[in-house]
């Protein structure tokens, strides 16, 4: 006889440290089983070869996950200079370049500075970006090159962390949609030696940090009844937004889909709290200082 696994309403945000070799969806599946949760999702895919911060949303937190997808991100990447890869990383065919001299530290620092600001990137063929409903990497595996437009991204900062032999380690703070593999290749090309990405680790998304993340073994080793204590509240996804505390009348109006007028706040998104300082959702104030619901938690919670 086959028994159905019981699933529960579990709400919260789990900061995980994704290991090497595991896909984001595989890690989500493991968390779903460990927490016996009905609804689980992640915010921002990491390739199997990448490690680091992967926030996983459970239950009500999934409603607000999209607000973290647009957040700035910080990575540490290790680039191998003097070589090129057909995929921009270790999974491709590696070709050694004919290089007489490797660049100096000063040359590298000068080159890295050229990438700070708004730049254009050509999305790699070996990516999950879709063309006619099909990921580009599937076309690439068939030897088909799809014409794709360049996209603008912003590099806020690049820091040289280490440079030894042909290994260049950098720290990058960037906007969403930045391809670090492409950046690694572009840096190698700018240095006239070639380069590809051999390690990638995400350390920050918005205000969330890898320092507070748990690896899968730590989560597994936590007693099942204690695992919910590892979760941050759903509103941790929205920490960049200012908080508004509503009185009981305003709270009821918002929950009924009505508009609350004259909140004397700047236009924008706000975290909304009701009685007992309970988080009820995200609201938006318009130019007339009127507040309306943007996304609310389920009223049952």
């Amino acid at each position: 006889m086959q028994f159905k696994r019981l699933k529960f309403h579990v709400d919260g945000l789990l900061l995980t440290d994704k290991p090497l070799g595991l896909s984001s969806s595989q890690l989500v599946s493991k968390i779903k089983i460990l927490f016996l949760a009905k609804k689980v999702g992640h915010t921002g895919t990491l390739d199997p070869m990448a490690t680091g911060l992967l926030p996983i949303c459970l239950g009500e937190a999934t409603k607000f996950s999209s607000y973290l997808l647009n957040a700035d991100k910080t990575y540490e990447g290790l680039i191998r200079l003097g070589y090129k890869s057909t995929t921009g990383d270790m999974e491709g065919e590696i070709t050694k370049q004919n290089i007489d001299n490797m660049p100096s530290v000063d040359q590298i620092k000068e080159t890295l500075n050229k990438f700070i600001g708004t730049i254009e990137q050509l999305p790699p063929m070996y990516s999950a970006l879709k063309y006619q409903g099909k990921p580009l990497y599937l076309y690439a595996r068939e030897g088909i090159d799809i014409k794709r437009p360049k996209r603008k991204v912003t590099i806020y900062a690049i820091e040289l962390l280490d440079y030894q032999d042909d290994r260049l380690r950098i720290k990058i703070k960037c906007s969403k949609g930045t391809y670090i593999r492409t950046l690694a290749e572009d840096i190698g090309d700018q240095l006239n030696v070639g380069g590809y990405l051999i390690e990638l680790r995400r350390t920050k998304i918005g205000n969330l940090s890898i320092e507070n993340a748990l690896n899968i073994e730590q989560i597994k080793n936590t007693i099942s009844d204690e695992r919910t204590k590892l979760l941050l509240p759903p509103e941790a996804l929205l920490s960049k937004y200012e908080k508004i505390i509503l009185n009981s009348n305003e709270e009821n109006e918002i929950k009924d889909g009505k508009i609350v007028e004259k909140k004397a706040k700047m236009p924008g998104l706000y975290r909304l709290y009701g009685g007992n300082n309970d988080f009820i959702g995200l609201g938006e104030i318009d130019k007339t200082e009127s507040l309306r619901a943007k996304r609310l938690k389920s009223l049952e919670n």
Side-chain angles (χ1 to χ4, degrees), residues 5-9 32 36-38:
R5 187 186 295 271
L6 287 174
K7 292 183 180 179
F8 302 96
H9 285 290
K32 192 170 187 177
L36 300 175
K38 287 188 174 182

Side-chain angles (χ1 to χ4, degrees), residues 48-196:
M49 71 152 281
T51 66
L53 183 61
L54 183 69
I56 294 180
C57 301
L58 295 87
E60 288 293 302
T62 60
K63 289 185 175 181
F64 306 97
S65 61
S66 62
Y67 295 97
L68 196 61
L69 291 173
N70 296 325
D72 298 333
K73 298 170 177 65
T74 301
Y75 297 91
E76 287 187 13
L78 184 62
I79 303 170
R80 189 182 189 191
L81 298 177
Y83 295 80
K84 287 193 174 185
S85 164
T86 53
T87 60
D89 58 25
M90 292 181 66
E91 295 181 352
E93 184 180 331
I94 310 300
T95 307
K96 191 179 192 314
Q97 306 299 292
N98 294 319
I99 306 300
D100 293 326
N101 296 300
M102 295 299 282
S104 66
V105 170
D106 288 340
Q107 287 174 316
I108 286 174
K109 286 182 177 178
E110 183 181 346
T111 297
L112 293 180
N113 284 334
K114 292 178 182 178
F115 288 90
I116 296 175
T118 299
I119 63 171
E120 286 190 332
Q121 283 192 327
L122 181 66
M125 276 300 300
Y126 282 89
S127 69
L129 192 65
K130 290 187 177 179
Y131 175 75
Q132 295 184 348
K134 186 175 169 182
L136 287 179
Y137 64 79
L138 292 180
Y139 292 99
R141 288 172 184 170
E142 296 170 9
I144 301 171
D145 189 70
I146 302 296
K147 188 176 180 181
R148 53 214 186 272
K150 289 186 175 183
R151 52 169 60 178
K152 289 184 178 181
V153 297
T154 303
I155 308 296
Y156 300 106
I158 302 184
E159 181 184 350
L160 174 61
L161 298 179
D162 191 36
Y163 178 42
Q164 293 186 36
D165 300 322
D166 60 0
R167 307 296 167 100
L168 172 64
R169 188 176 294 278
I170 59 176
K171 181 178 179 180
I172 311 109
K173 183 179 180 184
C174 57
S175 65
K176 71 161 189 171
T178 303
Y179 288 101
I180 307 301
R181 275 182 296 154
T182 300
L183 182 63
E185 290 180 301
D186 290 345
I187 289 171
D189 289 342
Q190 190 74 35
L191 289 166
N192 295 315
V193 297
Y196 70 95

Side-chain angles (χ1 to χ4, degrees), residues 11-49:
D11 300 323
L13 176 67
L14 182 67
L15 300 185
T16 67
D17 185 346
K18 191 192 83 63
L20 187 69
L22 203 65
S23 72
S24 298
S25 58
Q26 286 172 329
L27 183 55
V28 166
S29 296
K30 289 178 181 292
I31 297 303
K32 192 170 187 177
I33 292 170
L34 286 171
F35 282 84
L36 300 175
K38 287 188 174 182
K39 196 171 184 182
V40 184
H42 63 75
T43 60
T45 303
L46 278 175
D47 289 341
M49 71 152 281

